[in-house]
Amino acid sequence: MIIELGHFALILALAVAMLQAGLSLAGAARRDLNLMTAGRLAALAQFALIALAFATLVHAYFISDFSVANVAENSSTAKPLLYKLTSVWGNHEGSMVLWVLILALYGAAVAWFGDAMPPRLCARVLGVMALISLGFLLFILLTSNPFLRLSPAPENGMGLNPILQDPGLAFHPPFLYLGYVGNAVAFAFAVAALIDGRVDAAWARWVRPWTLASWCCLTLGIAMGSWWAYYTLGWGGWWFWDPVENASLMPWLAGTALVHSAIVVERRDTLKSWTILLAILTFSLSLVGTFLVRSGVLTSVHAFALDPRRGVFILVLLFIAIGGSLALYAWRAPALEPGGVFAPISREGALLLNNLILASCCATVFIGTLYPLFLDAIGGPKLSVGYPFFDRTFVPLMIPLLIAIGIGPLLAWKRGDFLGALQRLWAAFAAVIVAMLIAFYLSHGGPVLSVLGIGLAAWMGIAALVEFADRLHLFRAPWAEVLRRALAQPRASYGMTLAHFGLAVTVAGIAASGFQQQRIALVHLGEALPVAGYTLRFDGIGKHEGMNYTADRAEFTLLSGQRVVAQLAPERRFFPLQQQTVSKTAIHTNFLADFYLALGDPDGKGGWAVRAYWKPLVPFIWIGGVIMAFGGAVSLSDRRWRVGVAARRVAKTALPASRSRA
Amino acid sequence: MTGRRLLYLLPLVGFLALAAYFLRGLAPGYDPQVLPSALIDKPAPNFTLAGFKGGAPLSNADFAGELVLVNFFASWCVPCRAESPVLMDLARRNVVQLYGIDYKDKPEDAAKFLQTFGDPYRRIGVDETGRTAINFGVYGVPETYAIDRAGRIRWRHVGPLSEQVVRTEIMPLLKQLGAS
């Protein structure tokens, strides 16, 4: 009964979305405040209804109601409660409901905070978001309904893919979706601006918090996914240039460009139509990320067509959303007023360079990811895709960007002083040399590229700090003055410093992967294996029973000389329901380096294959990601975007003018 | 002004081209797994590759007069890991000779890969530049070719081999070619 209630709520949400679109768009066109207010209420109602539908689905998973087909296919009784609940979005149908739930959440937030915005802009944004919601609610109800019953109900469910039964992956999709769907808000703002035919600094100020919020979530989501791949797949790798990973990287790259170009629109009222295009492309890539990956089209177009109804529906939706907005762009964008001019060496110039490079990187990933699909369309000479392709294209593209990150923030708006900026960065130059020497010494002459990478990370990190110290007049002014300046700095500038510093930390972690040492060997009980200056002792192996798996658990002791560093217990878990074996790695970390141990197969004669890695600085990759997201959050808390400030400022400046007229 | 307008049309045109391509993928009866190869029933391209880890060079003369499978692989290729049990099984059953071509790979990485997943190959050639792969028309790794006794390519498979491919394609092919 409860699940039918959920089904009904979702149908009702569809009707409300229709209302929301109609009321908001008509209200904006007719400048009818009542209609627009009704549209905002509809956005709140839509969220409540979808939340109810989602809650009934969660409930069905909670009580393991196998009469619901979706639960029977994706859950089972013998499973920890946490994974029963995360199974809700571990499948296609459920994840679609999560997707529209998050979209409705953003919609409700826009409606809630809408008082601060010009009513017509708010109404148009809500109207466009309702149209997106409409499309996806229809998609769920017509082709991917999670509320269908199964009769007769089976005794037990088929269970969740064991690989997904992991805390890291359990919360990875919600963050990723918060990021993807957040881009829908920026998209809706862009379409609203195109309908309106006007983009100004105020528009940029309203759109930036949403972009930032979704960028933070996407950053965390990607970091989480990469961390999960690292400790689960048992290969010690953290990025595989896999289509699924690339699909989340593309909107991140485009979104990063958007966060930066929106600054230029806000401060200098230029790069407008480019920013609009970026907003459209970012969301388009998010859609591609959600749907094309899920549908399997990236591995084979054929898999997509296995369920032709779904495939055609998705394509039509993508076609309307992307094609429609790009057509609107082609029609309306030329009418946008061009903004102020600037010299190539300037803050705007640096941000434009950032955008160009990020866009090229994004295009590279796009081509590399979709390449298998273009094969027979292009013909001609063939490229190779995988590590070699991305290492040779993506990495060289990123390097100039990483160098420019250090200099850009030191340039003034309109016309910057390049040499002056370089002079102020002497400390960063010194840091590069010192860091490279240290890296070279500690790694006993390790790979050149890794040493250079460490230098690059030092450059970015120190340059970010130099820029910040420069703002505070550190070492130039008395301490009281520095403190006063520190307190007066807008949070957005703290956010930028943190985000750039976080990227430096991540780059250091990536660069240091060249210094890793590994040992893949067959070990017998009692044997000791030397790895990277440590000794790994194989103490025992036994069977271990989990709730829904059985495991071989090995006991190892990690020794440094005679001193015990850690006990490591890697496992090989076998899930009988799905007939799958999953490795559970054992990682000892001190945040500067990881010791990583994965248990392989037995040779049947008492020997076990193990893979042991010593990975210096690898935790930095994810720590940097968290710092970046934190920087974004700090910037988000800046007064400037706080609700109402923008509107009040507009009101304040408008007031004297009207008075003087009176 | 019209030139500028055309510029704004560019994103839409790019998107439409992309959409048209995807639409083609949905046409009934279209299966991208069946990639046409111009080389089917043609003589396999000649090659001479450096041997793996100091082994003797591998050239197509080495398996003249034999019915063999040539498998392009690389240590950086994740699907290759997936197909390795299938290859190991083929090697164990000794139904056909397997030759490996290590594609755009570092030999030490490949050695680790083979040590971990097992080495099903009779011999391995190292194609560091990818030239041989281009001559074969390799789309990506893994990819497998069947070459008959006369040195002609008779069959190719793009992507990882599976038990099913072995059962429904390779075994019948071997039967047919072995009989003739």
Side-chain angles (χ1 to χ4, degrees), chain B residues 37-46 60 135-136 145-155:
Chain B
S37 173
L39 289 176
I40 292 286
D41 294 333
K42 300 262 167 62
N46 289 323
N60 48 341
N135 290 339
F136 268 81
Y145 292 80
I147 299 174
D148 70 9
R149 295 192 174 86
R152 283 172 308 187
I153 293 180
R154 298 301 292 264
W155 174 83

Side-chain angles (χ1 to χ4, degrees), chain A residues 41-57:
Chain A
L41 288 176
L44 297 174
Q46 199 205 138
F47 172 64
L49 286 167
I50 296 180
L52 177 66
F54 188 74
T56 63
L57 200 58

Side-chain angles (χ1 to χ4, degrees), chain A residues 236-275:
Chain A
W238 42 269
W239 193 264
F240 296 91
W241 294 113
D242 175 89
V244 181
E245 292 170 324
N246 291 348
S248 63
L249 183 64
M250 288 188 282
W252 187 84
L253 290 169
T256 310
L258 179 60
V259 167
H260 289 90
S261 77
I263 302 177
V264 183
V265 179
E266 189 202 337
R267 294 296 185 79
R268 299 279 305 133
D269 204 29
T270 185
L271 291 189
K272 291 185 219 178
S273 66
W274 166 247
T275 303

Side-chain angles (χ1 to χ4, degrees), chain A residues 130-214:
Chain A
L131 288 176
I132 300 171
S133 182
L134 196 65
F136 288 107
L137 285 170
L138 273 176
F139 176 67
I140 294 174
L141 289 168
L142 295 180
T143 72
S144 319
N145 195 335
F147 299 107
L148 296 180
R149 290 277 188 186
L150 197 61
S151 181
E155 281 288 302
N156 203 344
M158 289 189 259
L160 176 70
N161 185 344
I163 274 193
L164 301 183
Q165 298 189 26
D166 177 277
L169 206 63
F171 295 102
H172 163 68
F175 271 101
L176 216 51
Y177 279 18
L178 275 168
Y180 283 160
V181 183
N183 291 326
V185 185
F187 171 84
F189 267 93
V191 173
L194 285 174
I195 296 176
D196 200 25
R198 200 162 52 107
V199 175
D200 52 21
W203 177 87
R205 205 173 301 140
W206 283 304
V207 73
R208 216 170 99 89
W210 304 102
T211 318
L212 257 177
S214 76

Side-chain angles (χ1 to χ4, degrees), chain A residues 235 315 371 373 376 384 518, chain B residues 21 26 30 103 112 117 139:
Chain A
W235 287 101
L315 268 188
Y371 157 81
L373 291 175
D376 46 356
S384 71
Q518 59 177 334
Chain B
Y21 183 74
L26 285 177
Y30 174 81
Y103 175 68
K112 262 174 225 151
F117 292 99
Y139 284 119

Side-chain angles (χ1 to χ4, degrees), chain A residues 231 262 271 286 341:
Chain A
Y231 70 70
L271 291 189
S286 301
V341 289

